[in-house]
Every structure is written in structure tokens, then in C-alpha cells.
Amino acid sequence: MRGWVGALRAAAAAVGPGSVPGAFRQRFDFGGRDVASWFPGHMAKGLRQMRASLRRADCLIEVHDARIPLSGRNPMLREVLGIRPHVLVLNKRDLADPQRKPIVPLVAKLVDDSPRYHRAESTEYSILVIGVPNVGKSSLINSLRRLHLKKGKATAVGGEPGVTKAVLTRIQVCEKPLMYLVDTPGVLPPKLEDVETGVKLALCGAIRDHLVGEDIMADYLLYTLNKQQQFGYVQRYGLAEACDAIEPVLRRVALARGRTQKVKVLTGTGNVNVTTLDYSAAAYEFLRDFRAGCLGRVTLD
């Protein structure tokens, strides 16, 4: 709670008492924060397994979140790509860009037009699917399976990073041509380039919220929405106007969604339970609305 008070005061101070609507921040102050490295053991293990699986792969599909096409790239995965044919897929385009292209014919053409070395005699296609956590690799595999085989999901999906923790067995997604996809765990670089990249990754679910902090994520999201003139949050939360400070936004979210908490206050007659607005829960609602596309189509890069 103490951290939230400080963050909200800092946001209010950044705006200033004489600010007028529309006079938004030109840059975001991260307050000297540093995003801790987040490279769990299963990521290191997954990267080793990916390298081992390359020998059996004809092609690689690298999945990116369309909202962070630049920040969502992991430089370490470039080493994994090697000389194999490589397809870049922007997932979650409905949140940023509606265009789509068929994947299976593109992959088949790339493989047919490239040397297959020790797999030249094989009539099937084996594709490794790679990307950062929670980018939608498993969802892509399941959607291709439904589209071409009319079958249900074969790999687990989830809204939190880290659902896939190991390279799985091959999953058939098409009959003609005979094509198998291999799901892999999401892998982040051991050290992020900068704080802003870490916040963008966290906003899109590649890093768990608590590692970065819901306060700074919500404030950065508001900064980005204002910068891009995406003011849908004003009507959604019943605000009088767009604002640059995160506190009034979270206050309206808490009131609109009934996000409150009971806090013990020490008085002269003893402890008293006081109901206050839960800014942490309000920030989570704000972030969830963004991730669901309720605040408009937003590209963070």
C-alpha cells in the first residue's frame, strides 16, 4: 500500500496543479527503476532442448505479439534460427492489426525451396514454433489443427507466461501436406535491454505482473494511450475528461468495479476497520481491459 501511495503522488506531481486537459507527458519517468532478470530454469532448459531439436526441424515459426513487434523479439532466439527457413507470425493481430496470411502454404513453399540436408528423403514437414512467453504459440498450433484437421486442441494454453515448460512431442496440424508442429517454452533473454522494454513485455503478458509492478505498468499504459490519442478509457470508466495522472483513472476504475479493501486503522479507542479503494485491484482491471482489447487497438512499439 505504501508503494502505491508513493507512485500515485509521483504521478500527480508529474502532472502539476496547473496542468490543463490535453497537456500530456512527453516522456515517461521510470523513477530509476530496474527490471530484474527473469530467466527461470525451465527457460534455460527449453533453450537447450530447442537447439537439440533443430536437427529434426525443416522450418521455424517465430511468433510475436503484434502489439510489441520489436520489444517481443528475443536476440537469443536468433542463434537458434540457424540457416533454417524462418516464418515470422504476428499473433493477436485483432488487438493491433486485422490482416492475416495463410501459414501452412507459406511454410510448405519455404521448405520446398530450401535445402533439407539430412531430411531430404522425408515426405513430412517438421516445424519448430518459438517465441517469448505468452505470445500465443500453443494457441497458433491449436488453431491450425482445428483449421486443417477439424480437431480440438492438443497443447495447453493459458493467460499467464510459463504454461509450456518443455519442448513437447510433435503435433500434427495438417494432412496434405503432412505437417507437424512442435511447441516450445517461451524464452526471454537473461537480461532485458532496458526498463521500458520490460514494461512493454509485462503489459502483453510475457513477464508476470508482480515482477515489474502493476503501478508502473498501469501508469505507463495511461501514458501510452494518451500519447497515441486513444481516449476510450474516458468513456469506459466514466471520467469527465482525459487525464495524465493515473490516480483519478484508478479511482474511477475502483468505484466502477467495486474494488475496495478493509484496512485496520489505529485510533485512540483501538483498531477500526476502514473501507478504502483498492488501487492494486483497480490497476489489474485496467491492465486486463487493455489485454482484452477493451481500450482499443494499441501497438506499444
Side-chain angles (χ1 to χ4, degrees), residues 6-260:
L8 294 174
R9 284 176 179 168
V15 179
S19 298
V20 295
F24 302 119
R25 288 168 285 182
Q26 298 303 306
R27 68 179 185 85
F28 189 84
D29 182 9
F30 290 97
R33 291 180 182 234
D34 186 20
V35 177
S37 297
W38 191 62
F39 198 73
H42 78 265
M43 286 193 180
K45 180 180 178 182
L47 192 59
R48 291 194 299 269
Q49 289 178 323
M50 275 187 245
R51 290 194 177 104
S53 299
L54 269 180
R55 183 174 177 80
R56 302 185 299 274
D58 297 308
C59 179
L60 296 130
I61 296 179
E62 185 178 1
V63 185
H64 284 199
D65 191 314
R67 296 167 295 181
I68 46 171
L70 301 177
S71 301
R73 296 211 75 175
N74 181 355
M76 292 186 65
L77 293 180
R78 295 173 191 169
E79 303 173 14
V80 176
L81 299 180
I83 58 174
R84 300 296 194 282
H86 172 213
V87 177
L88 178 62
V89 176
L90 290 180
N91 201 15
K92 306 183 182 180
R93 296 183 77 106
D94 56 323
L95 302 176
D97 185 338
Q99 296 181 3
R100 288 185 176 181
K101 291 184 178 180
I103 295 175
V104 168
L106 176 60
V107 169
K109 185 178 187 307
L110 276 174
V111 174
D112 290 342
D113 292 345
S114 304
R116 299 186 74 188
Y117 303 105
H118 61 283
R119 289 183 52 78
E121 302 301 322
S122 178
T123 59
E124 64 187 40
Y125 300 86
S126 182
I127 317 299
L128 205 63
V129 184
I130 62 176
V132 300
N134 203 31
V135 79
K137 299 182 293 297
S138 300
S139 296
L140 173 66
I141 291 175
N142 290 332
S143 65
L144 290 175
R145 186 174 170 84
R146 285 192 300 268
L147 177 64
H148 296 285
L149 294 179
K150 312 301 180 187
K151 293 186 177 181
K153 69 179 183 180
T155 181
V157 299
E160 291 288 329
V163 172
T164 304
K165 291 184 170 61
V167 176
L168 304 179
T169 55
R170 299 188 308 162
I171 300 168
Q172 184 179 353
V173 295
C174 189
E175 185 68 37
K176 294 182 180 180
L178 182 57
M179 185 175 294
Y180 295 89
L181 265 60
V182 180
D183 198 6
T184 65
V187 177
L188 289 172
K191 184 171 179 58
L192 299 174
E193 293 181 2
D194 52 57
V195 177
E196 187 167 15
T197 297
V199 174
K200 290 178 181 179
L201 286 165
L203 281 171
C204 294
I207 300 176
R208 294 186 184 276
D209 294 348
H210 72 274
L211 294 176
V212 177
E214 291 88 346
D215 55 346
I216 191 172
M217 291 169 60
D219 196 19
Y220 182 82
L221 175 57
L222 177 64
Y223 159 78
T224 302
L225 293 174
N226 288 334
K227 186 178 180 180
Q228 298 184 8
Q229 298 187 357
Q230 296 264 18
F231 302 125
Y233 68 88
V234 175
Q235 181 179 359
R236 182 168 184 81
Y237 304 127
L239 290 160
E241 59 188 7
C243 55
D244 207 25
I246 191 62
E247 181 177 9
V249 175
L250 296 185
R251 184 187 301 119
R252 286 302 311 167
V253 173
L255 290 170
R257 304 289 173 83
R259 298 306 183 203
T260 60

